[in-house]
Amino acid sequence: WDKVKRSLLPTPLRFHYIFNMRDLSRVFQGIMECPVDIVKDENTLVALWKHENTRVFSDKLCREQDKSFIDKTIAEFLPQHFGETLAADNKELTWFSDFQREVEFDPETGEDIGAPKIYEPAYSWEHVSGKAYEYLKKYNEQYPSKCMNLVLFDEAMMHLMKINRTIQQKRGSAMLVGVGGSGKQS
C-alpha cells in the first residue's frame, strides 16, 4: 500500500490515483467476505490476499504500465512475506466471486430462495461464464422489454466480476469511464 501510494501519484489526467487507508481497509474487507470454511489452507488465504490487493489497487488504474507496476509489486512482496513456496503456488491470479452456487429452494414451501452469496475461488471460467449467461437469461425473461443480448467474452467476464465485487461490498461504488457507444449502459 505504501509503495503504491508513493509511486502512483495523481496527475491532471489520472486525478483518481488517490490511495489512502480506505483502500487498505477494502483489502481486509474483501478478505473477510470469504467464509472461514472456504479458506481451508494458507495457499487459499494468500490467493485471496493477492486477489483483493489486485482488485483494490489495480482496478482503479487506467494505464497498463501502472497495472503491471501493481502486479510487479505484489510479485516482489509475496516471497518476502509469505515465502517462496506460497509465492510460486500463487504466481497466477485466482479469481474470487460470490455468484457460483446453485439456486436453493425452501424445504417447506418449495419456493426459490435464490443462490447463496458465498465469496469463493472461481471453479473455472466455463462455470463462471455459464452462471453469468444463466443470470442474463433470467433477466431477459423477467424484463422482456429491456432484453439484453450480450456476448460475454473473457475480458467482459473479468469486468463483470470486478463490478460485481465492488457492488457487493458495503458502500461499494465504481465510476465507469469510456467513450459513447462503448457499452457503459448495458
Side-chain angles (χ1 to χ4, degrees), residues 54-114:
T54 304
R55 296 288 64 83
V56 169
F57 296 113
S58 186
D59 287 352
K60 73 164 55 175
L61 306 177
C62 55
R63 295 188 319 171
E64 204 55 49
Q65 68 190 53
D66 296 338
K67 292 179 182 189
S68 63
F69 172 77
I70 296 289
D71 293 339
K72 184 179 145 217
T73 303
I74 290 173
E76 290 171 1
F77 189 90
L78 280 170
Q80 290 174 1
H81 297 280
F82 296 115
E84 293 291 333
T85 306
L86 285 172
D89 291 346
N90 288 290
K91 200 168 195 141
E92 295 296 317
L93 181 65
T94 302
W95 285 76
F96 284 72
S97 66
D98 67 350
F99 58 86
Q100 301 180 84
R101 298 283 175 110
E102 295 300 324
V103 173
E104 292 182 354
F105 297 93
D106 188 332
E108 295 175 8
T109 63
E111 271 184 28
D112 177 351
I113 56 174

Side-chain angles (χ1 to χ4, degrees), residues 14-32:
R14 295 178 296 279
F15 59 90
H16 59 283
Y17 278 28
I18 299 171
F19 301 96
N20 53 35
M21 290 297 285
R22 186 176 295 130
D23 296 314
L24 192 57
S25 73
R26 284 201 176 113
V27 170
F28 290 101
Q29 181 181 354
I31 291 171
M32 297 303 290

Side-chain angles (χ1 to χ4, degrees), residues 4-54:
V4 171
K5 184 178 80 166
R6 282 185 280 117
S7 301
L8 297 175
L9 300 171
T11 66
L13 287 175
R14 295 178 296 279
F15 59 90
H16 59 283
Y17 278 28
I18 299 171
F19 301 96
N20 53 35
M21 290 297 285
R22 186 176 295 130
D23 296 314
L24 192 57
S25 73
R26 284 201 176 113
V27 170
F28 290 101
Q29 181 181 354
I31 291 171
M32 297 303 290
E33 286 290 320
C34 195
V36 175
D37 59 321
I38 298 297
V39 184
K40 295 180 177 159
D41 57 4
E42 56 192 15
N43 195 28
T44 307
L45 181 62
V46 172
L48 177 60
W49 177 87
K50 182 179 180 181
H51 176 261
E52 291 304 316
N53 275 285
T54 304

